[in-house]
Structure formats: C-alpha cells, structure tokens
C-alpha cells in the first residue's frame, strides 16, 4: 500500500497542509489538503475519499477538489463516512449555502458527487482495499479507519483523545504494518487537549501501551505553533519507531 502525505498538521501555514493522505493514487484518506497538494492531473485521478469526521481541517479541500474537476472528462467522486458525518456534509457543507450541492449537479441522475454511508466496523471495499471505520473519542462523531490489502494493513486513528475500542480492533488486525495517530498539543496544553478530544505526548504514551504489536507509529495533527515542543516531548517517550509524519513523503506498507 502506498501512502503519500498531502498534509499532516492540525493547522494551516505556508508549506503546512492539514490532514490528508493519498492511498494508491486514487483514494484520499481525509481531505484537509487534497487540492492544496495535488496537481490537476493528480486530482482528477482521485475517485474516493473516506472522511473521519466533519471538522474543517479534515474536509476543507473537498469543495475545491470537486469544483476544480467538475468539467473534467469522467470525473466523479464518492465520499464514504459514517451516517453522522455524511449528514454533516449534506447539512453544513454541500448545502447550497456554504457550497453548491454537488450531489444533484450537473443533474440528479448523474451527479458528480455521491455520499456513501458506511457502518462502524463493517468492512467496505474500495479499489482492492478493505476498509473499516472504528469509533474514536473526539468532540464530534469521529472514526478512525483500518485499511487492508492482501499484503498488510495500516490503522489511522484520526483525531482522538484517549480511546479504547480503536486499539481493541487494531490489536486483532493481521499483518498490521503501521499505526498513524495524532498528537495535537504539547503537554503544557493538556487541559485544552482534554476538552477538545486530542492527545498530547504524555497521553499518547499511555495510549501506545494499549497497542500490542511493535509496529511503527507515525504522528500527525501537531498545531504549527507547537511542533518543536511536541517533537521534543515525543522523543522523551523513547518508543522505538515513533516519529512525526513528513509532509510530501510517500510511505510504502
Ligand atoms: Zn477534529
């Protein structure tokens, strides 16, 4: 499985995009920075997007991804998410106020956008990948995702504070190759992390004790203002194969 990091930050400054990964060139895992990172030629190849939750730093490039490619030959997009997240897309994003309702454009019969509901922990298939959504603990309905192909699997927690079910499911995955989870704030902002449903390096350390295998762990979601502190505090955890993701890099699992 090929995973290209389009954006991996919990905020947006020049050169730093928000959470989004491109899997095998055609699937976006969250969409905080798809149109910001990909050329038009690359964007038009994106056919599917799985969305973990409604927050803008995971969704904000969707309107532009669609708008940029609306008239491109054969372009269409499917967005996959749990029902609460799909409802938020309909009501708050593609609602003809914030942005046009592309689920009925250019017409109702052949719309450019399809919203597809998935059920937690029920596998669905996209382009050779089997994917499961698993609930995590954030301040809006949120799932992480486990992506599996014939060779291996990766687990992405999305935004979460301390959580249990995600780790329980991850521990049952065969051929797990890597975990991607978040560290948004430094330890000094633990109260803010608690009320906003995020991790700090110290709570990350406790979460990683729930992970039974020794697979590499990659971190995303750092707030740009606090990246250096987060990096330093993550190092003190002294876990082997624990590092921040690098934007622009392609990882193979
Ligand atoms: Zn969030």
């Amino acid at each position: 499985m090929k995973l290209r990091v389009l954006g991996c930050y919990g905020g947006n400054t020049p050169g730093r995009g928000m959470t989004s990964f491109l899997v095998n060139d055609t699937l976006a895992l969250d969409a905080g920075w798809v149109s910001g990172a990909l050329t038009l030629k690359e964007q038009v190849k994106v056919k599917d997007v799985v969305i973990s939750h409604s927050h803008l730093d995971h969704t904000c490039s969707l309107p532009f991804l669609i708008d940029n490619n609306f008239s491109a030959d054969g372009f269409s997009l499917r967005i996959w998410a749990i029902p609460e997240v799909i409802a938020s897309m309909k009501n708050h994003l593609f609602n003809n106020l914030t942005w046009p309702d592309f689920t009925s454009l250019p017409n109702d019969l052949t719309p450019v956008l399809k919203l597809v509901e998935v059920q937690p922990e029920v596998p669905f298939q996209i382009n050779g990948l089997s994917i499961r959504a698993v609930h995590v603990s954030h301040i809006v309905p949120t799932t992480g995702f486990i992506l599996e192909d014939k060779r291996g699997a990766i687990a992405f927690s999305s935004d979460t504070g301390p959580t249990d079910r995600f780790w329980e499911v991850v521990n049952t995955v065969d051929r797990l190759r890597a975990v991607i989870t978040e560290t948004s704030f430094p330890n000094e902002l633990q109260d803010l992390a608690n009320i906003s449903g995020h991790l700090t390096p110290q709570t990350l350390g406790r979460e990683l004790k729930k992970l039974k295998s020794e697979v590499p762990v990659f971190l995303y979601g750092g707030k740009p203002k606090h990246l250096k502190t987060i990096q330093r505090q993550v190092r003190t955890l002294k876990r082997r194969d624990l590092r921040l993701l690098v934007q622009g890099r392609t990882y193979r699992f």
Side-chain angles (χ1 to χ4, degrees):
M1 198 181 315
K2 188 166 89 171
L3 181 134
R4 176 173 163 192
V5 180
L6 306 181
C8 55
Y9 299 101
N12 182 211
T13 58
R16 292 198 174 112
M18 296 168 289
T19 308
S20 191
F21 311 104
L22 184 66
V23 181
N24 296 341
D25 301 320
T26 63
L27 166 70
L29 177 56
D30 275 341
W33 209 235
V34 181
S35 58
L38 297 182
T39 63
L40 285 174
K41 265 189 179 169
E42 292 168 327
Q43 288 178 33
V44 80
K45 292 182 191 158
V46 177
K47 302 289 180 202
D48 297 279
V49 186
V50 292
I51 292 289
S52 65
H53 67 300
S54 57
H55 280 159
L56 281 178
D57 56 334
H58 294 249
T59 60
C60 68
S61 70
L62 285 170
F64 313 113
L65 175 64
I66 297 167
D67 194 62
N68 285 344
N69 297 289
F70 183 71
S71 59
D73 256 359
F75 177 79
S76 66
L77 196 71
R78 294 181 294 184
I79 295 177
W80 308 68
I82 55 170
E84 297 95 318
V85 175
I86 292 291
S88 177
M89 299 277 148
K90 281 183 186 159
N91 297 331
H92 303 298
L93 193 54
F94 299 106
N95 60 1
N96 284 327
L97 289 169
T98 310
W99 207 245
D101 175 10
F102 281 106
T103 65
S104 57
L105 292 170
N107 57 63
D108 285 335
L109 286 178
T110 55
V112 72
L113 174 63
K114 286 188 180 140
L115 301 174
V116 187
E117 291 185 351
V118 302
Q119 298 305 318
E121 301 189 26
V122 177
F124 54 99
Q125 316 297 320
I126 300 176
N127 202 16
L129 293 171
S130 176
I131 304 176
R132 277 180 286 169
V134 184
H135 276 297
V136 293
S137 305
H138 196 35
I139 50 172
V140 292
T142 303
T143 65
F145 293 101
I146 294 165
L147 290 76
E148 301 180 83
D149 66 13
K150 285 182 183 140
R151 296 178 57 195
I154 61 169
F156 165 63
S157 74
S158 191
D159 288 5
T160 187
T163 197
D164 289 317
R165 182 61 187 157
F166 176 75
W167 299 113
E168 285 171 17
V169 175
V170 167
N171 285 332
T172 68
V173 174
D174 288 336
R175 303 187 308 270
L176 182 69
R177 302 280 187 246
V179 170
I180 300 171
T181 188
E182 70 130 282
T183 311
S184 293
F185 294 109
N187 293 333
E188 291 77 7
L189 295 178
Q190 188 63 56
D191 287 350
L192 182 54
N194 291 346
I195 57 166
S196 59
H198 285 295
L199 296 174
T200 62
Q202 63 193 354
T203 47
L204 169 72
R206 281 174 229 149
E207 289 303 285
L208 292 180
K209 290 195 169 68
K210 301 173 187 173
L211 173 62
K212 289 188 180 145
S213 60
E214 287 284 309
V215 295
V217 175
F218 297 93
L219 304 175
Y220 81 92
K223 300 292 176 189
K225 187 179 169 66
H226 301 294
L227 285 172
K228 279 191 181 148
T229 313
I230 291 169
Q231 176 86 271
R232 181 164 39 81
Q233 293 175 347
V234 164
R235 266 191 233 118
T236 68
L237 296 176
K238 297 201 181 334
R239 189 189 197 275
R240 201 161 54 89
D241 269 342
L242 172 65
R243 70 203 79 156
L244 271 58
L245 281 170
V246 178
Q247 181 171 310
R249 189 169 287 180
T250 297
Y251 299 80
R252 288 168 200 276
F253 300 111

